[in-house]
Amino acid sequence: MRFRHPDGSTVHLAYCTNVHPAETLDGVVDQLTAHCEPVRRRLGTERLGIGLWLARDAVRALSADPAAPRRLRTELDRRGLEVVTLNGFPYQGFGAEEVKYRVYKPDWTEPERLEYTADLARLLARLLPDDVLEGTISTLPLAWRTGFDEAAAESAHIALTELARRLDQLEETSGRSIRLALEPEPGCAVETTTDALAPLAALPGHRIGLCLDTCHLATSFEEPAVALDGLERAGIPVPKVQLSAALHAETPRDPAVRAALAAFDEPRFLHQTRARVDGVLHGTDDLGPALAGSALPDTVPWRAHFHVPLHAPPAPPLTSTLDVLRETLAALVGGPVPRSRHFEVETYTWQALPVEARPATDAQLADGIAAELRLARDLLTGLGLKEQP
């Protein structure tokens, strides 16, 4: 979906297709019919943005056959779908029964990550609508923190510098500007916006900025206004924003709260859990360890990295951090000019929800994704943006 900001610029809203597990080119095309087009129809819009996730095998197929990107673009157009942003964080296997730490490999110290991302950039330049000149790709925040030392940081810097060079070259040959956005995430080498300042400021040019995920921001107890002001002072752009909400437990000492949290402790994804005491962040790599022991102080609220549906917060005694999303969005587009123009609803944990909240059919999943997008649309129009046909 597209929106006109009061300053006249266009703001894009999409949903991320990593909620659908296809990892081949044929599977990606099939998901357009099975999932994306039904969501568009439920929204009653002629054009729906999707943040494509293309796994390594699908990227290889698209890169090997010169006609394949044209085919994908045609399939998108036929269904009233458009792509201005890609999710380049997961590399492969995101639909596996257990993802956990595997999602961070290969990282930015490994050549596979550079080549994969460069391939994504070339593809995106061909998938962009004719009237759109800028695309974005979100990626992992360098690496998982374990073992990420000074030598690893230098390797990642060299790889990102090379990618920036290739993106410059791509714009010269295609006329399309593709920007990369590192996505801070709890537990990673770059967990917070503050962690991102030094590595991003050290990169050349303007090609690489930050992808602000509002679930991750909330999980790390960052204040949106403070985080965004810090990025602005450092000259760090925010090319992409992922609209999402984390799981919030106000009184984790309460046995009823613990029991409710346990329903979200599932085996597929990491659900990094955080608590903050006197400005100091305490954390575990997953929700299970937080519930099992005394790793986190239980006299203060907990937040877990679990993307809960925007329109459907968990039942009491739990809630979500939707207020953090609202505050962030107001700071980004509520002013005289938008501070970011690519927004993506992050939906991948629909199938990881407790059984009673999990969609049982494709139709129920489409209903849920459409409801999230309606809420995001209402938030944008409530800030003065006008939906475009």
Side-chain angles (χ1 to χ4, degrees):
M1 290 184 281
R2 298 187 186 189
F3 300 81
R4 182 73 65 190
H5 189 273
D7 78 337
S9 62
T10 300
V11 169
H12 294 266
L13 174 65
Y15 88 89
C16 185
T17 64
N18 62 358
V19 65
H20 313 308
E23 299 209 8
T24 65
L25 179 54
D26 286 342
V28 169
V29 172
D30 288 345
Q31 76 183 206
L32 303 181
T33 300
H35 302 290
C36 302
E37 190 174 6
V39 171
R40 181 185 64 77
R41 289 176 175 166
R42 281 161 170 76
L43 289 165
T45 183
E46 295 181 4
R47 175 171 50 190
L48 175 66
I50 57 171
L52 268 183
W53 172 58
L54 297 170
R56 177 72 263 187
D57 286 348
V59 172
R60 286 196 179 104
L62 284 161
S63 301
D65 180 358
R70 288 196 299 272
R71 174 196 170 202
L72 180 55
R73 172 69 185 276
T74 299
E75 298 289 350
L76 290 163
D77 292 343
R78 284 178 53 203
R79 293 166 177 80
L81 306 170
E82 69 177 12
V83 174
V84 302
T85 188
L86 299 178
N87 187 330
F89 195 133
Y91 181 82
Q92 62 187 8
F94 202 63
E97 291 185 3
E98 181 178 331
V99 178
K100 298 290 185 182
Y101 296 95
R102 292 168 51 194
V103 76
Y104 306 107
K105 301 295 288 185
D107 60 34
W108 276 101
T109 68
E110 300 171 88
E112 294 88 350
R113 176 61 63 173
L114 170 61
E115 297 308 320
Y116 169 66
T117 309
D119 286 347
L120 287 177
R122 287 189 290 270
L123 289 169
L124 182 55
R126 299 187 63 182
L127 294 176
L128 287 176
D130 293 341
D131 61 343
V132 175
L133 299 178
E134 181 178 293
T136 54
I137 302 171
S138 50
T139 189
L140 77 161
L142 303 183
W144 185 252
R145 70 182 187 281
T146 306
F148 192 78
D149 54 17
E150 290 185 8
E154 178 62 19
S155 294
H157 174 80
I158 291 170
L160 288 168
T161 300
E162 170 60 16
L163 181 74
R165 186 193 67 79
R166 296 190 195 184
L167 295 180
D168 285 341
Q169 186 177 52
L170 179 62
E171 182 170 15
E172 290 177 6
T173 57
S174 71
R176 303 300 177 93
S177 174
I178 307 299
R179 305 176 74 187
L180 187 71
L182 270 65
E183 181 184 334
E185 178 168 306
C188 291
V190 175
E191 171 160 343
T192 66
T193 58
T194 300
D195 295 338
L197 298 181
L200 287 177
L203 292 169
H206 63 286
R207 292 292 176 192
I208 302 177
L210 185 137
C211 173
L212 191 65
D213 184 301
T214 56
C215 169
H216 303 170
L217 187 80
T219 301
S220 295
F221 287 88
E222 291 197 78
E223 298 293 336
V226 174
L228 289 168
D229 287 349
L231 292 169
E232 189 168 23
R233 284 194 304 271
I236 305 298
V238 183
K240 179 174 178 177
V241 178
Q242 289 181 323
L243 302 178
S244 54
L247 190 62
H248 180 93
E250 185 67 22
T251 56
R253 179 171 286 184
D254 185 339
V257 173
R258 294 278 183 132
L261 282 172
F264 289 84
D265 180 24
E266 54 84 39
R268 188 171 175 186
F269 301 110
L270 282 182
H271 300 295
Q272 301 93 315
T273 305
R274 298 290 184 265
R276 185 175 63 178
V277 179
D278 297 329
V280 177
L281 206 60
H282 303 260
T284 59
D285 284 356
D286 213 344
L287 183 55
L291 293 169
S294 57
L296 295 184
D298 61 5
T299 57
V300 295
W302 289 2
R303 289 177 178 173
H305 173 213
F306 197 117
H307 295 252
V308 296
L310 301 185
H311 68 292
L318 303 178
T319 187
S320 79
T321 60
L322 185 61
D323 284 348
V324 174
L325 184 158
R326 293 178 187 272
E327 185 180 344
T328 304
L329 198 56
L332 287 167
V333 300
V337 295
R339 297 164 74 173
S340 189
R341 292 193 297 274
H342 289 183
F343 293 85
E344 178 183 84
V345 173
E346 177 66 291
T347 63
Y348 73 86
T349 45
W350 270 103
Q351 299 297 352
L353 289 168
V355 174
E356 64 275 10
R358 195 178 302 168
T361 65
D362 287 349
Q364 289 178 1
L365 177 60
D367 288 341
I369 294 171
E372 290 198 89
L373 284 165
R374 284 192 199 97
L375 186 147
R377 177 173 62 186
D378 290 346
L379 291 177
L380 287 169
T381 56
L383 290 167
L385 282 72
K386 305 294 185 184
E387 186 175 0
Q388 303 297 295

